[in-house]
Amino acid sequence: MRTLLRATMVLLLVTGYAVAGTPARAAAPARVLIVGDSITQGSANDYTWRYRLWKKLQASTPGAADFVGDRRYVYDNIAEQQGSTVYADPNFDQDHHAQWGRPLIYEKDTIGAAVGSSNPDVVLVLLGINDFAWFGATPAQVAGYMDEFIANVRAAKPTASIVIGHVLTRYDFYGKRVLDAAATADLNTRYDQLAAQRSTSTSRVVTARTEGDWDPSAHTWDGTHPNSTGEVRIAATFADALAGLGVGTPYGTQPTNVPWAVAGGTPTLTSQDRAIKISWPATPGANAHFIEQKIVSRGETAFTRLPYPVEGTTWTAQGLLAGWTVQFRMVPVKGLMAGSPGAAQQATAGGSFPADRPQLYGSPGKNQVNLSWSPVAGVTGYYIEVKDLGSTNPTWSRLPYPVAATSFTPGLLGDGRWYRWRVIPVNGTLLGPQSNTVDIRTAGISAYQHYWGLGDSYSSGLGARGDDEYYDNTCKKTTKAYAYLVPAGWEPRPNLLACAGAKTDEIFNDQLPRIPQNPGDVLITLTIGGNDAGFGTVITDCIRGNCTGQEAGLHARIDGLRSRLAGTFLAIRRRAPGADVVAAGYPLLVVSPPNAQCSSAFGAVISDDEKKMMRNLAFHMNRVIALAAEDAQIIAATTQVMDRFYGHEACAGANGEWVNQIAECIGYPLCPGTMHPTAAGHVAYAFAINDRRAQLNAIGDFRFTTDN
């Protein structure tokens, strides 16, 4: 009984109260030993929750506590070594017994020596997170370690009270999830049970509910270690627990956002050609710095923070206008915790405009394009600008930052879509002459908004039906025309503008004006050129008499069509820059002699020499169409058409002819559908065009252009 009374009086003296409620003389401060791991020790330029607790105790009950322990330093998280003496505010009692990475499984065996050397009245312990996070211990095992810890404290100081801090959860910022939540909750429940079981009248054991308002995504700078707000959260719960033991008062209302008031160092600025080099002293504990700038020459009154922190102690601000005066200041960053700006310095940048024009090249890819260009001397980078030709109102947009290299691969582009590109050399913000432009179609299947079929009678469908089956008799349009067979089920139905007898002039004057300017992502197909070459007249002459004497003149006329066709194709492309424009070409009209099996009426009229001439002229026409398509940088399907029709031209006999011969035209001196595709021929046309489209979808397309 006498021993119990003596112990009770010691405890009352520690708390500052006398027996029977009478005021006591000033009691000696309670000796507080703080034990923990990195969360408690802190790292360079932390305030630490020990600091927050000390400031609270000093503000509410000055002299109530004396922090004791064998250490005063924090961990240098940059050099990854112990011994840093840099606190955000060193004006507090720094004594402690915490160590970065310390697990309870080790500390339980050494705490006795620490207690013996520091003689604490109260031991605050926040340990256990490392045991199951890194050592694989279960909550039950960690609680067992804590039980041994309590026993070893009491072995060294039987009257010491112990405050066990609840273990805190951690946060994975990449996976956006709380770590070990269930294990942490289990362990904290065991800590509460342990405190209730081990607490005595001479050696109180209580818990600090540090996890109560704890949010590791908001209260840490790296998912584990407390930021300034988190430090206050931890300190407040220990203050409340200490108040329950008679040391100090409860913390009260906690602030919701506590700044890390560590300022960056004063930078040193070096003016360079169109740039300013910034050097600054390292801020202890900070692993990066935000750079804030104010362009004085532009009249800016506020600093703008650059969007990402910079590691190291040097950085060069590029993209500055020659003669600009710019102020810079530094803000230290520790993980996700930013400090406050340091003193600002200013400098003036110089430079000159880029003089040369880069030459731009490119190639398509799947959802991307590959750009490269010739270098320009004296530049800091290149702006890349793009115009989405698949939109109905294409305008230039600039990638938000210049590229320092002479190549770039823009990604996340649409499938099967035309884009126009250019690069602009930049010296700081001084722009040089823009490059040429290139149009690149990405690989993939395009999501066409419209489909227009242009051209002559081969496009309109003449010859695919009887004369009374055209829905537009003037232009001889039929739904058996290949334009109706080209689209897949999910693609738009054609708007067939083709007309029998059309020449290139009709494309310009009648058909093309019916397509809106910049119609977006569309498909345009056409056959044109046969009427410009005079094929209809030649075929009539061949049937009514010998026409081989016209061959040389016809070849010359076809050669002369290249520029006219190229101009037509270019006009289509310029009206619809986002279109896949496919020039289909013509079949070779008749099978090669002597394989031709024409009817007697037909065979008697056209000689083998005339058949050869017709094939030569059609082949020549296709070659000129392909060259004109290359000149205008549209897509030619001439080879695909000839390949699909091979062996099925007029007079194919048992092989099946896909081009009408004159014998099939009844009641006319010369049937209008003579030497035009049959319904089966239009199917072949559709296959030929889709063969070419499949190649286009597989590899994309590229073209140089001077268009803006």
Side-chain angles (χ1 to χ4, degrees), residues 90 126 318 556:
L126 183 56
Q318 300 183 7

Side-chain angles (χ1 to χ4, degrees), residues 249 275 374 588 655:
T249 62
S374 58
L588 298 184
N655 287 334

Side-chain angles (χ1 to χ4, degrees), residues 453-455 497-499 502 506-515:
L454 310 182
L497 305 180
C499 193
E506 280 73 27
I507 298 291
F508 278 107
N509 300 327
D510 299 331
Q511 298 180 23
L512 193 55
R514 296 161 68 182
I515 298 177

Side-chain angles (χ1 to χ4, degrees), residues 163-487:
V163 180
I164 304 172
H166 278 183
V167 175
L168 301 169
T169 53
R170 298 172 299 136
Y171 191 74
D172 176 5
F173 283 101
Y174 294 101
K176 298 187 182 305
R177 62 193 181 95
V178 175
L179 301 175
D180 300 319
T184 301
D186 185 359
L187 178 57
N188 289 335
T189 298
R190 294 175 185 273
Y191 277 177
D192 290 337
Q193 294 169 347
L194 183 64
Q197 293 167 0
R198 296 293 180 259
S199 185
T200 69
S201 59
T202 58
S203 175
R204 298 277 303 281
V205 181
V206 298
T207 54
R209 299 185 178 277
T210 51
E211 88 290 3
D213 292 326
W214 181 256
D215 179 356
S217 68
H219 298 152
T220 67
W221 56 264
D222 63 351
T224 298
H225 301 98
N227 56 25
S228 293
T229 304
E231 290 172 351
V232 172
R233 290 288 188 277
I234 298 171
T237 58
F238 274 105
D240 293 343
L242 281 174
L245 296 177
V247 180
T249 62
Y251 192 90
T253 303
Q254 300 177 29
T256 57
N257 186 17
V258 181
W260 183 49
V262 173
T266 302
T268 299
L269 307 183
T270 305
S271 181
Q272 296 183 343
D273 185 17
R274 299 146 295 184
I276 296 175
K277 182 180 179 180
I278 311 167
S279 303
W280 59 90
T283 302
N287 49 26
H289 286 78
F290 277 119
I291 298 174
E292 295 186 337
Q293 72 174 27
K294 179 169 62 177
I295 303 175
V296 178
S297 299
R298 293 183 59 179
E300 294 181 356
T301 58
F303 280 90
T304 299
R305 178 173 294 181
L306 301 185
Y308 52 89
V310 178
E311 296 181 352
T313 57
T314 61
W315 186 76
T316 300
Q318 300 183 7
L320 300 179
L321 185 64
W324 265 0
T325 297
V326 187
Q327 290 186 359
F328 294 95
R329 66 187 187 186
M330 311 306 299
V331 179
V333 177
K334 188 171 189 176
L336 299 178
M337 181 171 60
S340 58
Q345 294 291 303
Q346 71 179 36
T348 300
S352 59
F353 288 94
D356 297 329
R357 180 176 187 249
Q359 177 66 37
L360 178 63
Y361 306 89
S363 62
K366 177 67 172 175
N367 301 120
Q368 67 180 35
V369 299
N370 306 300
L371 302 175
S372 62
W373 53 90
S374 58
V376 173
V379 302
T380 57
Y382 303 85
Y383 278 116
I384 298 173
E385 295 189 334
V386 61
K387 184 186 288 187
D388 183 356
L389 301 180
S391 65
T392 54
N393 184 28
T395 56
W396 287 107
S397 62
R398 177 179 293 178
L399 272 65
Y401 52 87
V403 174
T406 55
S407 63
F408 190 69
T409 302
L412 301 178
L413 304 176
D415 284 333
R417 199 171 181 93
W418 283 98
Y419 295 89
R420 182 163 294 164
W421 302 90
R422 67 187 183 192
V423 296
I424 301 174
V426 58
N427 187 356
T429 57
L430 303 179
L431 303 180
Q434 69 187 37
S435 72
N436 60 295
T437 58
V438 295
D439 291 357
I440 304 177
R441 184 206 191 266
T442 58
I445 299 174
S446 179
Y448 298 122
Q449 302 167 46
H450 300 283
Y451 172 24
W452 281 281
L454 310 182
D456 54 22
S457 54
Y458 272 66
S459 296
S460 70
L462 178 64
R465 284 189 166 185
D467 292 339
D468 58 346
E469 295 180 325
Y470 298 107
Y471 67 81
D472 179 343
N473 198 51
T474 300
C475 286
K476 303 301 181 185
K477 297 181 186 178
T478 171
T479 54
K480 289 189 177 181
Y482 68 76
Y484 288 95
L485 307 174
V486 166

Side-chain angles (χ1 to χ4, degrees), residues 44-68:
N45 250 326
D46 283 345
Y47 288 92
T48 75
W49 70 261
R50 299 180 283 109
Y51 166 89
R52 308 291 183 181
L53 178 60
W54 174 260
K55 289 297 183 180
K56 166 60 182 174
L57 292 171
Q58 289 298 100
S60 61
T61 50
D66 175 19
F67 288 0
V68 296

